[in-house]
């Protein structure tokens, strides 16, 4: 990552430097390859542990980098089948909610995914898979919210109020808290 930054700076100073362009592309390619390899390793590790939600998360990270990665698509489909096989639902409606929840989870829309898993739990409070995904969504929402809130706090401290407000508006879509509303009120 440092090498990429160095070549990026070199290209800012000399955008026509062909040698820097070649090395930049090479370094970027290696970074992407490393990220994909690490994500595959993590996915396989979680599959072995039986934690399919976390395995699916890493497969989706690969597909964000390369949506055409056939290995990731096949492994992702297999994980989904394993999850569906484990799932026992009382109603057809809950099967639909589960499938929608999985779709939103794969897209990284953890708020919508959480809402679908919650609908299942309202009817089948002991559904293990829905609980697992629901809790996974809550954890991811909390991480995203915390990231945005901390970023907004730093911007606020630096008196960069417009930027802080934009970040707070993102944070509030994940979690509507008093601390966010107070900071927004202080900015306005």
């Amino acid at each position: 990552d440092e090498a990429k930054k160095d070549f990026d700076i070199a290209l800012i100073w000399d955008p026509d430097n062909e040698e820097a362009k070649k090395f930049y592309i090479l370094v970027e390619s290696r970074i992407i390859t490393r990220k994909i390899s690490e994500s595959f390793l993590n996915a396989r590790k979680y599959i072995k542990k039986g934690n399919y939600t976390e395995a699916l998360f890493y497969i989706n990270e690969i597909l964000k980098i390369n949506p055409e990665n056939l290995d990731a698509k096949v492994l992702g489909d297999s994980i989904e089948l394993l999850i569906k096989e484990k799932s026992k639902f009382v109603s057809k409606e809950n099967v639909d909610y589960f499938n929608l929840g999985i779709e939103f989870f794969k897209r990284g829309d953890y708020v919508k995914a959480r809402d679908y898993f919650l609908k299942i739990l309202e009817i089948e409070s002991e559904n293990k898979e829905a609980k697992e995904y629901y809790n996974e969504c809550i954890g991811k929402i909390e991480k995203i919210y915390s990231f945005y809130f901390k970023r907004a706090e730093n911007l606020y401290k630096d008196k960069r109020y417009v930027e802080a407000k934009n970040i707070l508006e993102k944070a509030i879509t994940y979690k509507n808290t008093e601390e966010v509303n107070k900071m927004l009120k202080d900015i306005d």
Side-chain angles (χ1 to χ4, degrees), residues 114-177:
R114 176 206 58 202
D115 294 344
Y116 280 108
F117 296 124
L118 182 59
K119 285 181 182 187
I120 295 167
L121 293 172
E122 287 170 352
I123 298 167
E124 300 177 36
S125 62
E126 296 304 312
N127 186 295
K128 184 180 174 189
E129 287 74 27
K131 265 187 198 177
E132 189 177 306
Y133 270 102
Y134 177 80
N135 290 331
E136 194 72 31
C137 289
I138 295 297
K140 295 202 182 296
I141 289 167
E142 186 60 41
K143 283 180 186 173
I144 294 168
Y145 166 81
S146 294
F147 170 79
Y148 282 137
F149 186 75
K150 286 176 185 166
R151 178 79 179 120
E153 264 185 328
N154 290 333
L155 290 167
Y156 183 84
K157 287 176 188 171
D158 292 341
K159 296 183 175 36
R160 294 166 61 189
Y161 301 119
V162 172
E163 292 171 84
K165 184 177 181 180
N166 289 337
I167 298 294
L168 287 169
E169 287 170 351
K170 288 181 182 178
I172 210 166
T173 63
Y174 290 94
K175 196 169 156 187
N176 191 347
T177 64

Side-chain angles (χ1 to χ4, degrees), residues 2-163:
E2 287 299 316
K4 183 180 173 191
K5 289 177 189 173
D6 290 343
F7 286 115
D8 209 15
I9 291 169
L11 288 170
I12 289 170
W13 288 103
D14 185 6
D16 297 324
N17 185 330
E18 290 301 319
E19 195 72 16
K21 285 180 186 177
K22 287 177 190 174
F23 281 115
Y24 180 85
I25 291 168
L26 177 67
V27 168
E28 188 174 47
S29 171
R30 287 185 178 164
I31 290 169
I32 289 170
T33 301
R34 187 185 79 232
K35 286 180 181 176
I36 289 173
S37 294
E38 288 172 357
S39 291
F40 268 121
L41 287 172
N42 284 323
R44 288 187 176 100
K45 176 178 78 176
Y46 284 108
I47 289 169
K48 285 179 183 174
K49 291 180 179 180
N51 186 342
Y52 302 126
T53 56
E54 199 63 30
L56 194 57
F57 170 78
Y58 284 105
I59 294 301
N60 290 328
E61 290 299 303
I62 295 167
L63 292 171
K64 285 179 189 174
I65 295 168
N66 180 1
E68 300 305 314
N69 187 307
L70 188 59
D71 292 334
K73 285 180 177 182
V74 169
L75 189 55
D77 290 344
S78 298
I79 293 169
E80 284 182 40
L81 284 173
L82 287 170
I83 291 167
K84 289 175 184 175
E85 282 176 13
K86 279 178 53 179
S87 302
K88 307 248 186 311
F89 294 103
V90 172
S91 70
K92 163 81 171 97
E93 184 177 51
N94 278 356
V95 172
D96 293 340
Y97 288 153
F98 189 79
N99 289 336
L100 286 166
I102 293 287
E103 254 330 289
F104 284 111
F105 187 89
K106 284 172 44 181
R107 292 183 200 160
D109 191 339
Y110 303 113
V111 173
K112 285 184 182 172
R114 176 206 58 202
D115 294 344
Y116 280 108
F117 296 124
L118 182 59
K119 285 181 182 187
I120 295 167
L121 293 172
E122 287 170 352
I123 298 167
E124 300 177 36
S125 62
E126 296 304 312
N127 186 295
K128 184 180 174 189
E129 287 74 27
K131 265 187 198 177
E132 189 177 306
Y133 270 102
Y134 177 80
N135 290 331
E136 194 72 31
C137 289
I138 295 297
K140 295 202 182 296
I141 289 167
E142 186 60 41
K143 283 180 186 173
I144 294 168
Y145 166 81
S146 294
F147 170 79
Y148 282 137
F149 186 75
K150 286 176 185 166
R151 178 79 179 120
E153 264 185 328
N154 290 333
L155 290 167
Y156 183 84
K157 287 176 188 171
D158 292 341
K159 296 183 175 36
R160 294 166 61 189
Y161 301 119
V162 172
E163 292 171 84

